Amino acid sequence: MTYREAIVSGEKSLCEAGIADARNDAWLLLTMACKIDHTYYYMHIDEEMPEELQHEFEVLIKKRAERVPLQYITGEQEFMGMTFHVNSNVLIPRQDTETLVEEALKVVKPGMKVLDMCTGSGCVLISILKNVHGTGGYGYDISKQAINVAKENAKLNDVPAIFERSNLFEDVADETFDVIVSNPPYIRSDEIPFLMPEVSEFEPHEALDGKEDGLFFYRKIIQESPDYLADGGYLLFEIGYDQGWAVSSLMKEAGFEDVCVKKDLARNDRVVCGHKHLCEKRG
């Protein structure tokens, strides 16, 4: 099999499996299997692939045809212009989430402390710290495996973030933060089986499942966050496309001010933010 024939064969297999961007995925998997770039490919396009590389490519194509996410196969994903390691213990960073980072960057200033609740891969916190130097950053997640990935990503991107395991605020240090950001689980439990197979079958359910109405973690974080926010501190959430009204109402009821809903590039509701004055502190 030549390199040209490999791409054609790989794309055909992925198309038959219902992969939307079959040609692009086949190309990326070929570059991964053979460790080549476009230049090498076009210079050797009609040459026979070494048998061991052909086998490696076929193994990767088979995984993708089984709907294993491309990013879990390659082990990485780009986010905010940076590379992040990912595996099946964390959600794959998505462009939608860049809206949360962009909104956070409007309020985070050097010298502030930022807390990222449900940090997953750490992509949100690391992106904030990479763009605002002199900022302290702390990420928490219930998954020990996710925390390990986040720590790896902090090293990869040379960011001095601190990541620790915690069930929401249960084990968060007794201190205050200027900004709290969160991309919590927000998919309704009964909707998860109907998501794309890449999501429903392979991404971690504990990072997806927002319980019966999708709002469980918003309620908990909104209720507990004032104890950890500095006076005037900001709380910012990523939300589902249809959750703007519900989450903003919860924040207003809890006394947050200037609560607003921000849209992503597709004009869907994506971020809710607000700030809170005169927080009651724990005794």
Side-chain angles (χ1 to χ4, degrees):
M1 179 182 291
T2 65
Y3 289 93
R4 186 199 301 269
E5 290 169 341
I7 283 288
V8 172
S9 174
E11 180 181 358
K12 181 174 183 291
S13 296
L14 296 184
C15 280
E16 292 173 349
I19 305 300
D21 202 357
R23 183 167 182 78
N24 179 69
D25 286 11
W27 163 252
L28 291 173
L29 294 176
L30 183 73
T31 63
M32 180 181 176
C34 302
K35 298 179 174 58
I36 61 173
D37 57 16
H38 280 89
T39 301
Y40 183 95
Y41 172 76
Y42 285 110
M43 288 180 65
H44 301 82
I45 190 169
D46 290 318
E47 293 181 10
E48 288 290 317
M49 287 177 62
E51 187 175 333
E52 65 273 13
L53 297 185
Q54 180 179 329
H55 174 71
E56 177 65 19
F57 177 61
E58 290 172 348
V59 168
L60 297 180
I61 288 292
K62 184 175 185 295
K63 284 185 179 180
R64 186 68 186 101
E66 292 170 349
R67 306 304 289 265
V68 178
L70 179 68
Q71 296 88 342
Y72 288 165
I73 298 173
T74 64
E76 62 182 38
Q77 170 70 356
E78 183 178 318
F79 182 82
M80 293 294 293
M82 294 179 283
T83 297
F84 288 86
H85 290 166
V86 294
N87 59 34
S88 59
N89 294 305
V90 298
L91 293 182
I92 298 165
R94 290 169 168 80
Q95 186 177 22
D96 292 342
T97 304
E98 292 188 356
T99 306
L100 175 60
V101 175
E102 290 162 357
E103 291 302 318
L105 290 176
K106 294 177 182 179
V107 298
V108 176
K109 308 298 180 187
M112 285 186 171
K113 287 196 302 183
V114 180
L115 184 153
D116 180 16
M117 182 56 68
C118 307
T119 193
S121 67
C123 65
V124 170
L125 181 62
I126 291 168
S127 297
I128 292 171
L129 301 186
K130 194 73 173 180
N131 283 277
V132 186
H133 299 294
T135 304
Y138 304 78
Y140 294 89
D141 200 285
I142 193 171
S143 166
K144 292 181 180 179
Q145 292 82 3
I147 290 299
N148 290 336
V149 174
K151 289 178 177 178
E152 182 180 341
N153 282 323
K155 291 181 180 179
L156 176 67
N157 289 286
D158 193 26
V159 168
I162 296 173
F163 293 102
E164 299 290 347
R165 184 193 177 279
S166 179
N167 183 0
L168 295 182
F169 291 95
E170 188 174 286
D171 295 311
V172 174
D174 189 7
E175 55 184 303
T176 58
F177 301 86
D178 301 286
V179 179
I180 296 177
V181 296
S182 183
N183 179 15
Y186 60 72
I187 306 298
R188 296 174 181 86
S189 300
D190 60 3
E191 291 181 354
I192 292 177
F194 300 100
L195 299 174
M196 293 175 58
E198 285 87 343
V199 179
S200 63
E201 296 179 18
F202 293 98
E203 296 203 57
H205 279 209
E206 69 177 4
L208 294 169
D209 193 348
K211 310 300 182 184
E212 183 177 1
D213 63 356
L215 301 174
F216 176 85
F217 292 97
Y218 295 116
R219 293 190 184 94
K220 295 284 288 184
I221 294 170
I222 290 169
Q223 176 186 355
E224 298 177 27
S225 62
D227 284 336
Y228 298 88
L229 276 172
D231 186 30
Y234 285 84
L235 176 62
L236 299 94
F237 287 114
E238 176 171 334
I239 58 171
Y241 73 95
D242 60 350
Q243 294 175 319
W245 181 86
V247 177
S248 60
S249 295
L250 289 171
M251 289 183 66
K252 290 173 183 177
E253 290 170 6
F256 283 86
E257 303 172 21
D258 299 324
V259 176
C260 58
V261 179
K262 303 290 185 177
K263 296 185 180 294
D264 59 22
L265 292 176
R267 305 307 299 162
N268 293 318
D269 290 352
R270 187 56 59 192
V271 172
V272 174
C273 55
H275 61 94
K276 191 168 179 62
H277 285 289
L278 304 176
C279 302
E280 292 185 6
K281 303 301 177 187
R282 291 169 292 175

